[in-house]
Every structure is written in C-alpha cells, then in structure tokens.
Amino acid sequence: MIILYGIPNCDTVKKARTWLDQAGLAYHFHDFKKAGLDSASVAAWLKKVPWETLVNKKGTTWRALPDEQKIAIADAGSATALMLANTSVIKRPVLCTHDKVLVGFDSALYEKTLKA
C-alpha cells in the first residue's frame, strides 16, 4: 500500500500524484490539512529518514518561525513536536510504502523505488 502525505494545492505534491496516476499505481492520499498527522506516522518516518530531511528549512513556514524556535529544533524529538504542531513545515510530499519513505518528489527515484 502506498500512502502519499501532503496538501493538495502544493505543486510538488501535484507532480507526485500525476506521476503515480500515470504509472497506474494505486495509492491513498493523506491531506495533512484535513486529516492532520499523528505521532506514530512521524515516528515511522523517522525510522527511515533523518529529521533534517523531513523539516523543510527552505520553505516559507520555516523562515517565518522565530529564531529562538528554529534554534530549539535540534533533534528528532523537537522536530517531531514542530511537525505535529505545524504540518506546513514538513517537506512534501512524503511517500510511504511497506518498507520505504521518500521525501520530496524525484521522478527517477520514484521510478527506481516503485517500479522495481
């Protein structure tokens, strides 16, 4: 089962959804904004990818955070709290399969991982 996490109006999420649709792969789309996010999902992601990959430090949400809050994000625990409180800080999309977590969209990586 493939689960794609993100928000529907994000251009990168749209590219990933289009790629999955064109590849004929079934997936469930989990909208952060409507369905929220639980700590178990984030914990599962962190077993596969580092928190530094999940927190989008290039995005407007990160840049809008106070400097004190940015400095406080120093480990997986503090990053998890931030991601749960503000899902917009998560790099999108997050694609999960039974054994993989892919962050962001890269068509070559999707091809390699999902069509293998």
Side-chain angles (χ1 to χ4, degrees):
M1 169 89 164
I2 297 171
I3 302 174
L4 188 72
Y5 293 86
I7 56 177
N9 61 336
C10 172
D11 288 340
T12 310
V13 171
K14 288 177 185 176
K15 289 177 188 174
R17 293 181 80 177
T18 298
W19 189 94
L20 290 166
D21 291 340
Q22 290 177 347
L25 296 170
Y27 65 94
H28 170 73
F29 179 67
H30 181 100
D31 183 341
F32 288 151
K33 297 295 181 190
K34 290 184 181 174
L37 187 62
D38 60 36
S39 58
S41 295
V42 176
W45 299 346
L46 290 171
K47 289 180 182 177
K48 304 285 184 182
V49 296
W51 68 266
E52 297 91 343
T53 300
L54 286 165
V55 175
N56 184 4
K57 292 186 176 182
K58 294 180 181 174
T60 56
T61 302
W62 176 264
R63 290 193 308 262
L65 295 174
D67 288 339
E68 305 80 45
Q69 190 172 10
K70 292 177 192 174
I71 292 167
I73 308 303
D75 58 22
S78 57
T80 297
L82 175 65
M83 289 185 279
L84 291 173
N86 192 345
T87 57
S88 295
V89 80
I90 300 170
K91 184 171 182 175
R92 301 178 296 266
V94 177
L95 183 142
C96 300
T97 68
H98 69 286
D99 65 341
K100 301 265 192 246
V101 174
L102 305 178
V103 180
F105 174 68
D106 177 332
S107 60
L109 184 58
Y110 271 41
E111 180 80 26
K112 178 182 173 189
T113 304
L114 299 173
K115 294 226 174 168

